[in-house]
Amino acid sequence: MKEFMGHDFLLDNPVAERLYHEHAEKMPIFDFHCHLSPREIYEDKKYRSISEAWLAGDHYKWRLMREFGIDEKYVTGDADDYDKFLAYARVMPYAVGNPIYAWTHLELRRFFGIHELLSEKTAEKIYKECGEKLKTLTARKMIEMSNVRAVCTTDDPADNLEYHKKIAADKTFSVAVHPSFRPDKVLNIDLPTYLPYLETLGNTVGYRLDSLATIEGALAERIDFFDKAGCLCADHGLEHPVYSPATREEVAKIVDKRLAGGELTADEIAKYKGYINVFLGRHYAKRGWVQQYHIGAIRNNSERNFRTLGPDTGFDAIGDDTFAPALSATLSALDLTGELPKTILYCLNPRDNYLLAAMMNCFQDGKIRGKIQFGSGWWFNDQKEGMKHQLEALMQTGLVSCFVGMLTDSRSFLSYTRHEYFRRILCSELGRLVEQGEYPAENLPLLGSIVEDICYNNAAAYFTKPQGK
C-alpha cells in the first residue's frame, strides 16, 4: 500500500519518477488562462481566513457541498467563515476519488505545510494554522511560491486595465501579468444582455454602438488598447459554436434588426457570430495574439438558482451540441486569407477529444511549431482521467511534444498545485510508454526535455509575439 500523497504520488512507474523529479518538478509556470483578479494581485491581497482564500468563488467546492446536503448559507451565504470551513471539512472524507480531495491536501501541504487530513475533527486546528500562515501568505506570495513566471487574466473589452498597468509599473513584483481579451458579451447577440452591453462598451469608447460599423470600430479600438497594455491572447467561450457564411451587408442588416428590437432567426444568429469571430480572428493575427476557443458548456441549468445566485455559481454542465462543421468553417475562413492566428481549442465534452485533436492538424501552416493546439483537459476534465484521455487523443493523432500544457483556469491563488497534479500525470503517461517498450529507454534525455517543454518552454515560446507585432 502506497503512502497517501507521498513523494511519488501519481507516479506509477520508475521512469515517471525520473521524469518528474529530474525534469517536471523544477519547471516554472506560464499560466496562460486563469480568472485571478488583477486588482488582488496589485494590492497583494491579504485574506482574513482560509475560507475567504479557499471557498469564496470556488464553484468546484460549492457543488460538492450542495451534493452532501450542506445548506446554501454555508456555501455562498452569510455564515461565519469558520462555520463555512467546518461545513467543507465535513465533506472532505467522503470525497473519495474526486480530484478536489487531492487538490485540497496538496494545497494544505504546499502552501501551509500542513500534512494532516482535513475532516470535521481536524477542522478547528487546521483553520487556526492556516489563519496564522495567511498573516504573511498574500496573493503575490502564493504566485511567487508556485514559481510562476507569467499570468494571463480574463478581461472584458470594456475594462480599463487599470491594475494591469499598475502591476507593469511595479518593479517590486517580477511576475508578468497580462490581460486577455474576452469578447463573449458582444458575440452573444441572441442574449438579453447584448443591448445593455453595447451601451457599456459604447460608454468606454465614447460613442454609440448603433451599427455594425461602430461595433467593428469599437472592437478594433479595444483590441489596440489591450495590445498596448501587454495583451497576448483572447479567449472565446463558445457554448454553441455556429457559423453561416454572410456578406458584411447581410450582417449589418442583422445588427440593425436586433437594435430595433427584432427577433433573429437561428441562421441570422449564426451569420452574425461567424462574421464577428472571423473579424476578431483577423485582428488577433495582425497583432500576433493567440486565440483560445472554450467549446461546449451548457450554463445556468438551474433557473431557480440562477435567479437567486447569478452566473458562475456552480450550475453549469457539459453540453452535447455537435459543432465540427461550424468550427471548421470558422477556422477555414481565417485560414483562406492567411489570417488564422495561433489557436488553442478546448472541449468540455470528452466525447469531442478526438474531434479537436484531428481538427487541429487540418490548419497547421508548417511555419509556426504547434500553431493550432488541442488544449488541456478543461473544467470537468481537469482531473486524472480527463487529463489522461486528452493526452492520449493528442498523442494518437499529433505531437504531444509540441503541446503547450496545463493552465490554471481558476479564481483561487492556491490552485497552482493543479500544475503539479498535471505534471505527475503527464510523466506517468510518458513513462509508461518507455516501461512498456513503446518508446526507447536510450531516448530518456530527449524525453526529459520534452517534459520540460510541455511544462513551460512550449507555452513561453507560443505566447511570445513575433518581432514587429
Side-chain angles (χ1 to χ4, degrees):
M1 184 183 299
K2 283 192 172 184
E3 175 192 0
F4 172 69
M5 208 167 283
H7 183 66
D8 294 325
F9 170 60
L10 292 175
L11 303 174
D12 58 11
N13 60 77
V15 175
E17 294 170 12
R18 284 187 60 183
L19 291 174
Y20 180 74
H21 294 300
E22 295 177 16
H23 299 280
E25 190 172 24
K26 68 182 181 182
M27 297 305 292
I29 290 172
F30 194 114
D31 191 15
F32 51 87
H33 176 67
C34 73
H35 298 276
L36 296 178
S37 164
R39 177 175 181 171
E40 291 181 6
I41 297 173
Y42 173 70
E43 295 178 347
D44 199 16
K45 181 174 172 116
K46 284 187 176 181
Y47 294 89
R48 65 177 181 267
S49 70
I50 184 61
S51 296
E52 185 188 16
W54 230 11
L55 300 177
D58 193 336
H59 51 76
Y60 286 79
K61 295 184 176 77
W62 295 348
R63 288 166 68 93
L64 294 193
M65 294 172 75
R66 293 180 186 125
E67 185 181 356
F68 197 70
I70 303 294
D71 188 272
E72 195 66 32
K73 174 182 179 180
Y74 302 98
V75 182
T76 62
D78 59 0
D80 175 81
D81 276 5
Y82 175 69
D83 290 337
K84 287 184 175 182
F85 182 78
L86 180 60
Y88 178 63
R90 288 193 186 109
V91 179
M92 266 301 90
Y94 297 92
V96 182
N98 192 290
I100 293 177
Y101 191 82
W103 296 345
T104 292
H105 290 95
L106 274 175
E107 290 168 19
L108 286 174
R109 292 180 178 210
R110 301 299 182 255
F111 289 101
F112 299 96
I114 296 172
H115 287 251
E116 290 180 84
L117 301 180
L118 181 60
S119 68
E120 186 174 8
K121 291 180 180 179
T122 61
E124 184 177 3
K125 182 175 183 291
I126 290 175
Y127 185 83
K128 289 179 179 178
E129 287 185 29
C130 289
E132 283 299 311
K133 188 79 171 179
L134 285 169
K135 291 178 180 178
T136 56
L137 184 58
T138 60
R140 290 190 183 189
K141 184 65 174 175
M142 293 176 195
I143 293 174
E144 290 169 338
M145 282 179 67
S146 303
N147 196 17
V148 179
R149 297 281 176 83
V151 173
C152 296
T153 59
T154 302
D155 308 279
D156 190 274
D159 197 297
N160 64 14
L161 304 183
E162 171 189 3
Y163 293 102
H164 290 90
K165 294 174 183 176
K166 288 181 175 180
I167 294 168
D170 184 354
K171 304 307 179 186
T172 67
F173 188 54
S174 61
V175 179
V177 180
H178 303 277
S180 295
F181 191 78
R182 181 78 178 230
D184 296 6
K185 291 176 183 175
V186 80
L187 275 161
N188 291 328
I189 194 171
D190 49 323
L191 297 184
T193 53
Y194 179 74
L195 294 180
Y197 182 71
L198 290 188
E199 185 174 349
T200 298
L201 188 57
N203 290 336
T204 298
V205 296
Y207 51 84
R208 288 185 62 205
L209 304 189
D210 55 5
S211 66
L212 175 61
T214 54
I215 292 170
E216 289 176 321
L219 287 172
E221 283 185 36
R222 298 312 292 170
I223 290 171
D224 276 338
F225 178 79
F226 270 61
D227 194 57
K228 290 173 184 175
C231 186
L232 303 175
C233 58
D235 178 49
H236 295 207
L238 302 180
E239 279 81 22
H240 314 286
V242 291
Y243 181 91
S244 185
T247 64
R248 188 174 184 278
E249 290 72 23
E250 286 179 284
V251 177
K253 290 178 181 178
I254 292 167
V255 170
D256 291 343
K257 180 179 177 181
R258 180 70 174 92
L259 292 171
E263 187 172 337
L264 302 184
T265 66
D267 187 55
E268 288 172 328
I269 293 167
K271 286 180 176 179
Y272 172 84
K273 289 188 175 182
Y275 178 88
I276 295 296
N277 271 321
V278 171
F279 172 86
L280 290 169
R282 288 173 174 158
H283 277 276
Y284 304 156
K286 181 180 177 182
R287 291 158 182 82
W289 288 10
V290 175
Q291 71 176 2
Q292 301 180 77
Y293 284 174
H294 283 87
I295 302 169
I298 180 168
R299 297 184 184 273
N300 307 315
N301 290 273
S302 169
E303 185 174 349
R304 174 180 62 84
N305 283 296
F306 175 67
R307 290 181 178 183
T308 304
L309 301 173
D312 302 321
T313 50
F315 300 97
D316 303 330
I318 297 172
D320 66 349
D321 286 0
T322 55
F323 60 84
L327 176 62
S328 173
T330 303
L331 298 177
S332 184
L334 289 162
D335 184 56
L336 187 64
T337 57
E339 296 171 292
L340 177 62
K342 291 181 284 188
T343 301
I344 308 177
L345 306 171
Y346 309 86
C347 58
L348 195 52
N349 194 324
R351 170 202 68 184
D352 300 318
N353 281 352
Y354 277 90
L355 186 164
L356 294 189
M359 181 77 72
M360 72 169 190
N361 275 344
C362 296
F363 296 100
Q364 306 291 5
D365 67 1
K367 298 175 183 177
I368 299 174
R369 187 174 183 265
K371 177 179 179 179
I372 313 299
Q373 293 272 331
F374 171 32
S376 60
W378 166 46
W379 199 345
F380 294 103
N381 298 310
D382 62 354
Q383 31 78 7
K384 184 170 67 173
E385 292 306 312
M387 291 177 185
K388 286 182 178 180
H389 292 157
Q390 186 271 345
L391 288 167
E392 181 68 19
L394 180 54
M395 285 191 284
Q396 294 298 322
T397 61
L399 293 174
V400 74
S401 54
C402 294
F403 182 36
V404 292
M406 184 61 175
L407 48 91
T408 307
D409 192 24
S410 174
R411 291 168 175 80
S412 171
F413 291 90
L414 295 168
S415 292
Y416 281 109
T417 53
R418 294 184 191 179
H419 285 263
E420 176 183 342
Y421 190 79
F422 165 79
R423 291 174 180 188
R424 289 174 178 270
I425 291 166
L426 168 70
C427 291
S428 283
E429 293 302 291
L430 297 180
R432 193 175 300 118
L433 295 176
V434 178
E435 296 285 350
Q436 293 174 350
E438 297 180 59
Y439 190 81
E442 56 264 34
N443 275 8
L444 265 181
L446 174 61
L447 194 58
S449 69
I450 289 172
V451 166
E452 293 180 9
D453 287 346
I454 295 170
C455 291
Y456 175 77
N457 296 331
N458 286 345
Y462 191 73
F463 284 85
T464 298
K465 290 184 184 181
Q467 288 188 348
K469 294 287 189 179

